[in-house]
Amino acid sequence: DVFAATPTTVSQRLLIQRALERNWILHTGDVSTAFLHAALPSSAKIYIVPPPTERRVGRLWRLRKALYGLREAPRLFQEFLATTLTQHGFTRLVADPQLYEHNGTGALVSIFADDILICCAAGDLEKVKEAISAEMKVKWGTTINDTPVKYLGREWVKDGQEYVVRIPDAYWEGTLSTTDMRGCRALSTPAETGSWSKPDDSPRLDVRGT
């Protein structure tokens, strides 16, 4: 009742590979107030206390839309998303249920909760965006180029013929501050750099395992 899928890292790599192979672009977006797009089943009877300005003695509100905080809200939005995209020219892929292909243009769209990543030809971008936002309010981001673009907490940068996906420096600085390690000596690796293999002179077990 509450499960909602997320795209695999393989799918993200697939979009990067497709963009480089075909000289396509990667473009980001975000569905505004995503969960509020999904309607609750007619049989659902979920009541909430109205906000202070709307409260009346002895009255509650019955929800008709999924609300942030409901355990089933992610699943309901995902079902709404799949139905909507299918009706507007997308095919949901079997290998990754959060990866969609746009019929006609061949564009690939990866969706993590309410975050969108489009891989398509530059000339098809507006057509794909129009299909996605037909029944949803989407805040469109930017095309990933040589300027870092935030997506899923990471910085995406196109560097020549490759894409670099990295964790922002601010994350590491915050982690070091939290653990009081800003004054520590930096190392390229936290592990021993020597050989891991050591001779094993212990006696072997016989066939009976004794």
Side-chain angles (χ1 to χ4, degrees), residues 84-139:
T84 300
L85 292 183
T86 301
Q87 292 173 346
H88 290 84
F90 288 89
T91 298
R92 194 177 194 182
L93 302 189
V94 176
D96 187 340
Q98 289 305 95
L99 189 61
Y100 297 81
E101 182 180 23
H102 185 243
N103 303 331
T105 66
L108 293 177
V109 178
S110 177
I111 302 179
F112 191 109
D114 57 358
D115 293 305
I116 301 172
L117 183 63
I118 301 174
C119 174
C120 68
D124 293 329
L125 179 60
E126 291 305 318
K127 183 187 300 183
V128 176
K129 288 167 60 175
E130 182 179 348
I132 295 175
S133 57
E135 296 185 35
M136 296 180 288
K137 184 178 180 181
V138 181
K139 180 181 178 181

Side-chain angles (χ1 to χ4, degrees), residues 2-6 74-75 78:
V2 300
F3 175 76
T6 55
R75 177 184 62 84
Q78 197 166 95

Side-chain angles (χ1 to χ4, degrees), residues 139-196:
K139 180 181 178 181
W140 292 109
T142 58
T143 298
I144 300 174
N145 286 312
D146 54 357
T147 301
V149 174
K150 274 283 195 73
Y151 179 72
L152 296 181
R154 288 173 168 78
E155 291 181 343
W156 293 56
V157 183
K158 186 177 183 183
D159 184 9
Q161 292 301 309
E162 65 179 7
Y163 283 90
V164 178
V165 181
R166 64 195 182 198
I167 297 177
D169 293 339
Y171 171 83
W172 303 115
E173 293 173 358
T175 301
L176 292 175
S177 295
T178 301
T179 56
D180 196 22
M181 296 179 63
R182 292 185 66 87
C184 294
R185 182 167 56 91
L187 293 175
S188 58
T189 172
E192 181 182 354
T193 56
S195 173
W196 286 91

Side-chain angles (χ1 to χ4, degrees), residues 33-64:
T33 58
F35 292 170
L36 302 184
H37 288 84
L40 289 173
S42 58
S43 58
K45 295 182 179 181
I46 302 175
Y47 299 90
I48 62 171
V49 177
T53 57
E54 302 296 329
R55 288 178 187 172
R56 302 292 183 272
V57 178
R59 288 193 176 186
L60 297 175
W61 282 2
R62 180 180 176 183
L63 292 182
R64 297 188 181 276

